[in-house]
Amino acid sequence: MQVDFIFRIAAIGIIVAVLDQVLSRAGREDQAMMTTLAGIVVVLAMLVTEIADLFDNIRTTFGL
Amino acid sequence: MNMDIPVLLSFAVTGAVTAAILKKYRQEYAVAAGIAAAAAAMGAAVEAFIPALTLLRQLAAAVPNGTEYLSCLLKCAGTALLSELASAICADCGETALAKTALTAGKVAVLIFALPIFTDLVSTAFSVTGL
């Protein structure tokens, strides 16, 4: 895991925040909510993969 | 992968600053950025520990039952690391009850992993005292 992973999450968060604002102001509240949810799902999927790798790494190193 | 301590610490600082910036816009992404930085720093620290682990294994092999005891100790240390990390992630998400439950589960697991050492200690004490 490199530091650009953190910046990718930040970029997704900012893009989702901007899209949420734009869609809300355009009166498309449901699409804004779906965009927010989609962003959260994408970030969680990225995070879960990396945390699973970390846990496997710790399990292998410490013999758990 | 060789990781310098300043680089490892920069992971933590970068994650903290990114989380602070994201908090204004989307709180959930701030939490995700914090978790990602913590996981990255922890992974780097664990990988940096591997050479020391090799040396510990060599030293333990020179002692009677050393490999077994070192295995118990490493399991305890790894469980403590995992439970601390899980507890911190839960606390960051605002779930204090889950954080404390993760810590308690870690303590129970450490106790179970340490039982063989206690058993050996008690049996050695009994054999020495002749009980």
Side-chain angles (χ1 to χ4, degrees), chain A residues 2-59:
Chain A
Q2 302 295 327
V3 75
D4 63 337
F5 183 74
I6 303 167
F7 292 138
R8 259 185 252 161
I9 292 177
I12 293 172
I14 290 171
I15 289 169
V16 165
V18 166
L19 282 175
D20 185 54
Q21 286 288 318
V22 165
L23 288 169
S24 297
R25 301 249 167 122
R28 298 172 192 268
E29 304 285 345
D30 49 351
Q31 288 181 6
M33 188 190 73
M34 282 195 302
T35 307
T36 306
L37 281 174
I40 290 171
V41 165
V42 164
V43 164
L44 275 178
M46 288 163 63
L47 208 51
V48 159
T49 312
E50 294 298 332
I51 288 181
D53 284 346
L54 170 69
F55 280 17
D56 280 341
N57 199 5
I58 291 178
R59 191 183 291 135

Side-chain angles (χ1 to χ4, degrees), chain A residues 1-18 20-21 24 32 35-44 47 50-51 54-64, chain B residues 1 3 10-11 14-15 18 21-22 25-26 28-29 31-40 42-44 46-47 49-50 53 57 71 73-79 81-82 85-86 89 113:
Chain A
M1 191 188 302
Q2 302 295 327
V3 75
D4 63 337
F5 183 74
I6 303 167
F7 292 138
R8 259 185 252 161
I9 292 177
I12 293 172
I14 290 171
I15 289 169
V16 165
V18 166
D20 185 54
Q21 286 288 318
S24 297
T35 307
T36 306
L37 281 174
I40 290 171
V41 165
V42 164
V43 164
L44 275 178
L47 208 51
E50 294 298 332
I51 288 181
L54 170 69
F55 280 17
D56 280 341
N57 199 5
I58 291 178
R59 191 183 291 135
T60 310
T61 304
F62 291 96
L64 291 171
Chain B
M1 176 172 95
M3 181 66 70
S10 72
F11 263 154
T14 306
T18 309
I21 293 169
L22 283 174
Y25 303 105
R26 286 273 157 200
E28 52 270 20
Y29 293 94
V31 171
I35 292 170
M42 180 68 81
V46 167
E47 286 192 22
F49 177 62
I50 289 172
L53 186 58
R57 287 205 168 111
S71 167
L73 287 174
L74 287 176
K75 283 180 184 173
C76 292
T79 306
L81 268 178
L82 281 178
L85 181 63
I89 290 172
F113 285 138

Side-chain angles (χ1 to χ4, degrees), chain B residues 46-106:
Chain B
V46 167
E47 286 192 22
F49 177 62
I50 289 172
L53 186 58
T54 309
L55 178 62
L56 281 174
R57 287 205 168 111
Q58 287 170 1
L59 291 173
V63 172
N65 292 332
T67 310
E68 195 186 306
Y69 292 150
L70 181 64
S71 167
C72 288
L73 287 174
L74 287 176
K75 283 180 184 173
C76 292
T79 306
L81 268 178
L82 281 178
S83 66
E84 284 280 346
L85 181 63
S87 170
I89 290 172
C90 294
D92 276 352
C93 296
E95 299 291 330
T96 317
L98 280 175
K100 293 202 186 288
T101 307
L103 273 181
T104 305

